[in-house]
Structure formats: structure tokens, C-alpha cells
Amino acid sequence: MKGIVKESFARGAALRRDLPDPRPGEGEVVVKVEAAAICGTDLHIYNWSPWAQARVKPPMVFGHEFAGKVVETGPYVRRFKTGDRVAGETHIACGECRQCLTGNAHNCENMKIIGVHTPGAFADYICIPETCGWHLDEALSYEEGACLEPMGVAMHGLEAARVGGKDIVILGAGPIGLMAVGIARAHGARRVIVSEPVQARLDAAGRWGATHTVRPDREDLKAVVMDVTSGAGADAVIDYSGSPRAIQAGFSLIRKGGTVVLVGLPSEPIVIDVSDSVIYKEAWITGVTGRTMYGTWLECQKVLDSGHFNIGQIIAARYPFNEFESAFEDAINGIPGKVILVP
Ligand SMILES: [Zn+2]
Ligand SMILES: [Zn+2]
């Protein structure tokens, strides 16, 4: 089969056409990949960042946001049969640790991630444990199915802030932040203020239903938030940017008793005025990783069924595997939305 391989300990990747077809072991299914989306994690691997160097062992096919069709099932597989349409859940949980046994498999103590620790989805076929398959709704295309995993991250962050009826700030309008804007509106958030320095992404946030859009490099975000909320501050700030400066500023934007949800991963420690921003405000701070298995998937399906959220809008570009370099350039250059690769 063919696949996009991280071959060497340097920037870039290579398209290989001589990879062995995967065979399913016990409890595993082989999925014919119909569409895969490029994630920030894949950009780390492509660019060979320190984050990737500490985790990925070349040569390996990468990519983890995908949808496709089951073509083979291993022994003891119960939930899937050949021909089923599936979307991929990235977490490979151990099923035995304290986290897994208490309903928190998405935060397993022995977690492996598809496309980081095990062969990924930028290939004709991928072999996954059946626990990493989600039945793809008939109303969704494979390309939309490939966007469900990051949609789950957006949803999981919003679930922690219970945004219905509230005035919220979303920091960062990358693909996950953009989907969060749409979900927040579908969930009935009253005002959704989006802060994002890339103009094209900020414009997209407006199309997704942001009530206020702010360029933090040109405007005073805090002044806007205070103005919009009559001086009180936002009910919740949800960070999808991972930017230390954005997160630092974010704590000053919540009202007393407000909530800060941290989703984006900062690359360095952040200094926060805990007295004024947390203690005197009696603030709630929550970290969120991935999406729950499978509560968040069910919540995503509800929003999709509502008709108030069109996941297809997030697809900004699509490329065949043999043009993967252009696809990665689009994603690196901050195209507003998701870049899809099709075998
Ligand atoms: Zn991802
Ligand atoms: Zn576990």
C-alpha cells in the first residue's frame, strides 16, 4: 500500500508505495482510509519539532484524524463488520488502569496515540483496535468524518464551561477554535468573543457565528470584553491557542466566579497572578485533553443532528496523497479550517 511516512530525523516526509498491507490481530479492524485530516500534531511531526523528536520514532506512517470503511476484522471483534463506515478515535487506552476503570479512558495512564506511537492514517489502510472505531453517521461524508476527532476536542472544551446562555471568550481560531465557535452558538451561548491574530481565521470565526471578533495584536481585548459584558467580565474563557500570552491575558477576562478552560498546549510555563485572577475571583480552572470515550462523540452527534452546526464548513482544502507537500504548506501557513488528504 502507499502511505506518507516520516522517514528521517529531519523536516519533511515521503510518499512510499511499497508499505506492507496491515493485517488485523485480536480485537483489531483494518480500515480502508477514505479521508484524513492534518492536525497540529502532524505539523509538529512534519516540521520535526522538539515535541515530535521526544515522541516519534521514524520511519512511521503518521496522521490520526481519519474516516473510512472496515475491510477486515480480526478475531473477537464484536462491534464492527466488513463494510461498516467508521471515524477514528485517536486514543488507544489500556482498559486496565485506574483511569480506564473509572470511565476516564480518554486520559489513560498508559495512553498510546495513533499516528504518534503507532502507525497512522496517512495510508491506504490502517489497523486499529476496535475501541478506536466510531460508527460514522450515514449523513456524514468521509471527509466530514475525518473532522469528528478534532470537533470532539472543541466540544470537550465547551462541555467544561457549559456555555448555554453565557458570554464567553474563545482564544484562538485554528480549526478546533473555529468549530468551538460554531458549537458554542449551537449550544446557545449568548455572546461569543473570539480573539485571533490571523485575519483570515478571524474572518472565518465571524462566519461561524462569533458575535465579536478581536485582533489581539491591534485591539485591546480586555477593553472589548469589559465593554461587551458591561464591565463584569466573561462567564468563561476557553483557550484553544496554547499561546502563553493569550492564556496569561485570558485570566484577566473572566468575571468573578468565572471559568477558565485550557485546551491548547503551551510550549513553556506561564506566569499567572493567582491572587487577583484566581483567588479573589473564586475562579474555576479546568484542563481538558482530547475527548471522552464516547460521551463527547455522542454530544457531537447531537449537535450535528440539530442542524445548527455544519461540520463540512471546516474543510478548507483537499489534496491527494501525492500532493501532500502542498497540503502541509497550506496548514503551516494557517489556512482557516482543515486540510484534508485523500488517498
Ligand atoms: Zn488531532
Ligand atoms: Zn488505561
Side-chain angles (χ1 to χ4, degrees):
M1 68 167 186
K2 65 180 182 300
I4 301 168
V5 178
K6 184 70 195 179
E7 275 199 320
S8 59
F9 297 78
R11 188 175 189 275
L15 181 63
R16 285 264 155 258
R17 296 177 183 280
D18 53 358
L19 302 173
D21 287 352
R23 299 300 313 273
E26 282 184 9
E28 293 178 338
V29 299
V30 173
V31 177
K32 181 180 187 300
V33 176
E34 299 287 354
I38 295 177
C39 172
T41 300
D42 302 318
L43 300 185
H44 276 286
I45 296 171
Y46 188 82
N47 288 326
W48 202 232
S49 73
W51 183 93
Q53 290 173 33
R55 290 167 177 81
V56 178
K57 295 185 176 63
M60 193 185 82
V61 170
F62 59 119
H64 59 269
E65 299 176 358
F66 68 98
K69 190 180 283 185
V70 174
V71 290
E72 197 177 354
T73 57
Y76 308 119
V77 167
R78 298 167 64 147
R79 288 175 50 229
F80 295 98
K81 60 182 188 314
T82 300
D84 283 353
R85 302 167 82 244
V86 293
E89 160 59 67
T90 305
H91 300 126
I92 303 176
C94 76
E96 295 169 20
C97 73
R98 185 187 174 99
Q99 286 293 93
C100 286
L101 294 177
T102 54
N104 297 290
H106 72 289
N107 202 9
C108 167
E109 289 165 17
N110 308 304
M111 182 73 79
K112 289 197 187 114
I113 305 289
I114 290 175
V116 176
H117 305 109
T118 67
F122 295 154
D124 288 329
Y125 300 96
I126 181 172
C127 182
I128 56 170
E130 69 167 328
T131 50
C132 292
W134 172 259
H135 284 283
L136 180 61
D137 189 83
E138 284 302 325
L140 297 175
S141 69
Y142 287 116
E143 293 185 5
E144 291 168 334
C147 299
L148 286 177
E149 191 257 22
M151 179 188 174
V153 178
M155 173 67 83
H156 195 190
L158 293 174
E159 285 176 314
R162 292 189 222 101
V163 299
K166 296 201 178 145
D167 297 336
I168 67 166
V169 178
I170 287 178
L171 303 173
I176 292 175
L178 285 176
M179 287 194 276
V181 174
I183 297 168
R185 294 295 287 174
H187 276 185
R190 184 170 67 161
R191 298 190 181 103
V192 179
I193 304 162
V194 178
S195 171
E196 163 63 52
V198 177
Q199 189 62 45
R201 289 180 160 179
L202 199 59
D203 293 343
R207 294 195 294 276
W208 279 88
T211 55
H212 302 77
T213 54
V214 179
R215 283 274 303 257
D217 52 336
R218 294 186 181 169
E219 296 165 79
D220 183 343
L221 174 61
K222 187 173 181 183
V224 173
V225 172
M226 292 304 157
D227 184 47
V228 168
T229 59
S230 309
D235 294 303
V237 171
I238 304 129
D239 178 75
Y240 292 98
S241 73
S243 153
R245 280 180 59 193
I247 293 169
Q248 213 167 25
F251 277 86
S252 70
L253 306 176
I254 50 165
R255 64 165 168 79
K256 288 192 172 231
T259 302
V260 176
V261 180
L262 302 172
V263 186
L265 292 169
S267 54
E268 57 196 77
I270 299 171
V271 175
I272 291 160
D273 179 348
V274 173
S275 300
D276 282 343
S277 297
V278 181
I279 297 171
Y280 287 134
K281 283 188 175 175
E282 295 201 331
W284 296 86
I285 305 168
T286 308
V288 156
T289 180
R291 63 240 126 244
T292 68
M293 297 161 68
Y294 289 83
T296 308
W297 288 81
L298 286 166
E299 293 307 312
C300 286
Q301 189 58 47
K302 284 185 201 166
V303 171
L304 293 164
D305 289 343
S306 76
H308 296 298
F309 178 87
N310 173 10
I311 193 172
Q313 272 190 91
I314 200 63
I315 298 168
R318 51 177 66 73
Y319 292 91
F321 274 8
N322 59 13
E323 293 174 28
F324 73 90
E325 280 164 329
S326 304
F328 276 92
E329 288 311 315
D330 269 8
I332 288 164
N333 290 334
I335 192 171
K338 272 285 177 196
V339 179
I340 301 282
L341 286 164
V342 182

